[in-house]
């Protein structure tokens, strides 16, 4: 099962980085009421992200789908701060390389 998950993540990452739009399933409740557990969303890579976009972050062995609430540019690069709509706390700052895509529609 774990190997299947890694294969699926690798395939999703490769597809998105090649410019394809793909659908993924939302898991969890951190984005309520925007997305329900089990909702399908279409994602696509984008050269620029804006506060308010819903991003797909690569974190360890899973994806995080949270709203962009802050952007910081430093001498080391661009960083994004995200937060689940239902969460009372923000996530950590993620470097640009960890942002896979943004949600472009809900299926």
């Amino acid at each position: 099962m774990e190997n299947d998950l890694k294969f699926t993540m690798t395939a999703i990452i490769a597809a998105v980085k090649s410019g394809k739009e793909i659908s993924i399933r939302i898991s969890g409740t951190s984005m309520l009421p925007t997305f329900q557990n089990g909702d399908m969303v279409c994602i696509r890579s984008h050269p620029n992200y804006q506060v308010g976009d819903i991003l797909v972050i690569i974190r360890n062995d899973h994806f995080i789908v949270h709203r962009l609430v802050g952007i910081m540019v430093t001498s080391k690069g661009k960083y994004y701060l995200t937060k689940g709509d239902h969460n009372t706390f923000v996530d950590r700052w993620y470097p640009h390389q960890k942002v896979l895509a943004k949600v472009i529609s809900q299926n």
Side-chain angles (χ1 to χ4, degrees):
M1 182 71 148
E2 186 175 321
N3 286 335
D4 290 343
L5 179 62
K6 287 180 182 177
F7 173 77
T8 302
M9 280 193 66
T10 301
I12 291 169
I13 292 167
V16 170
K17 287 188 176 183
S18 74
K20 294 182 178 169
E21 292 181 9
I22 63 163
S23 293
I24 62 172
R25 185 173 306 279
I26 299 292
S27 174
T29 58
S30 67
M31 283 300 290
L32 289 172
T34 307
F35 301 128
Q36 304 291 318
N37 186 39
D39 282 353
M40 295 291 292
V41 295
C42 185
I43 64 172
R44 178 178 50 200
S45 183
H46 198 272
N48 296 303
Y49 300 105
Q50 299 177 9
V51 170
D53 287 344
I54 299 174
L55 303 183
V56 180
I57 306 290
I58 303 167
R59 180 145 186 219
N60 302 324
D61 62 349
H62 63 280
F63 298 120
I64 296 173
V65 179
H66 280 176
R67 190 173 306 278
L68 178 59
V69 296
I71 301 171
M72 176 175 58
V73 180
T74 71
S75 60
K76 294 182 179 184
K78 193 177 278 192
Y79 294 83
Y80 299 99
L81 183 64
T82 58
K83 177 185 176 292
D85 289 355
H86 191 66
N87 292 346
T88 58
F89 54 89
V90 295
D91 302 325
R92 61 185 182 92
W93 289 95
Y94 293 101
H96 180 77
Q97 299 84 350
K98 293 291 185 181
V99 179
L100 177 64
K102 76 176 187 176
V103 174
I104 57 171
S105 67
Q106 184 174 356
N107 302 351

